[in-house]
Amino acid sequence: MMTYYILLGAIALVSWLVSSKLKSKFKHYSKVHLRNGMSGAEIAEKMLADHGIRDVKVVSTAGMLTDHYNPTNKTVNLSESVYNQRNAASAAVAAHECGHAVQHAQAYEWLTMRSRLVPVVSVTSGMSTWVVFGGIMLGAAAGVGFGYYVAIAGLIMMGLATLFSFITLPVEYDASNRALAWLKKRNMVTPEEYKGSEDALKWAARTYLVAAIGSLATLVYWGLQVLGGRD
């Protein structure tokens, strides 16, 4: 158990460092104002129009770094600062979220796979660790009985969450690549602004990478606790 806590602590530390770096990067690039004077909302609307997407709305949402694309109601949700501001960070985020809208419109296979997992993972991810731990308490370490099967069910839930985390990686990296390619092709940003947008999206992607590694590490640890106890 101590090994698990040390592992969690290490992952939490790395996650905090990456998150802090991400916030620092966005704060820095928020000061790099776009020469074209366009806001994040205008950037998003133009990218959607350039890809022939007419049924997706760009809306403002409260909070910081709350930007996301909702495939259910087809909305690009931009945080208030991204929606209104006119800088390299806003351009990067707005274009990235539109990258997801383009993926949806083009039926990008990784996004389709992730969307199918969302209903299941949203229910099971929060309870998986407790199910595994409960199974162990019921006697899973002996490798027999009801407790063992409860723990296996928990591992399956945890495995789905881990799978979701890794499927998310190509989805996020591809959205960033689409965003950067469009910004460059359409000359939406200067070379300096492009560099800032690229760097900001790079650090944003690393948060998903750390999350996926953490999810895998947790799955492996609990898998060893359950399966390692079998004769």
Side-chain angles (χ1 to χ4, degrees):
M1 186 63 72
M2 183 57 68
T3 302
Y4 178 60
Y5 287 132
I6 293 174
L7 180 63
L8 279 184
I11 293 173
L13 177 60
V14 173
S15 179
W16 177 80
L17 290 172
V18 172
S19 179
S20 297
K21 189 70 172 180
L22 173 62
K23 291 178 181 179
S24 174
K25 289 288 184 179
F26 271 89
K27 183 177 180 180
H28 173 72
Y29 293 122
S30 291
K31 299 176 182 178
V32 179
H33 299 289
L34 293 183
R35 186 173 297 178
N36 63 21
M38 296 177 70
S39 67
E42 292 169 338
I43 290 284
E45 289 169 351
K46 179 164 178 54
M47 182 170 174
L48 292 173
D50 283 354
H51 285 85
I53 300 175
R54 310 293 180 184
D55 58 347
V56 174
K57 294 183 178 180
V58 180
V59 299
S60 176
T61 185
M64 180 180 180
L65 298 180
T66 52
D67 313 271
H68 64 282
Y69 169 67
N70 188 331
T72 303
N73 59 12
K74 291 189 175 183
T75 56
V76 170
N77 299 265
L78 302 179
S79 58
E80 294 173 345
S81 59
V82 170
Y83 188 92
N84 295 304
Q85 293 183 8
R86 307 166 189 274
N87 51 58
S90 296
V93 174
H96 172 87
E97 298 307 333
C98 287
H100 288 309
V102 175
Q103 290 174 336
H104 190 197
Q106 298 179 357
Y108 180 58
E109 59 182 358
W110 289 103
L111 179 65
T112 301
M113 291 172 61
R114 187 176 75 167
S115 297
R116 288 174 180 170
L117 282 173
V118 168
V120 178
V121 173
S122 62
V123 174
T124 62
S125 61
M127 66 176 72
S128 59
T129 301
W130 293 106
V131 174
V132 173
F133 188 71
I136 292 176
M137 291 295 98
L138 289 171
V144 294
F146 178 70
Y148 174 72
Y149 295 108
V150 170
I152 290 296
L155 286 178
I156 292 174
M157 294 178 185
M158 199 174 288
L160 289 173
T162 301
L163 177 62
F164 181 83
S165 294
F166 277 92
I167 288 177
T168 294
L169 293 179
V171 173
E172 295 300 327
Y173 278 98
D174 179 76
S176 291
N177 289 336
R178 291 173 188 266
L180 292 170
W182 177 79
L183 288 171
K184 189 173 186 177
K185 181 179 179 180
R186 296 293 183 177
N187 294 315
M188 298 300 296
V189 291
T190 65
E192 179 187 5
E193 295 164 357
Y194 178 86
K195 183 178 179 180
S197 297
E198 183 179 38
D199 194 33
L201 290 180
K202 177 181 67 178
W203 280 98
R206 287 173 179 172
T207 63
Y208 292 99
L209 179 59
V210 172
I213 293 173
S215 182
L216 178 61
T218 299
L219 175 63
V220 170
Y221 174 80
W222 286 109
L224 290 175
Q225 297 306 303
V226 175
L227 303 178
R230 301 187 68 185
D231 294 332

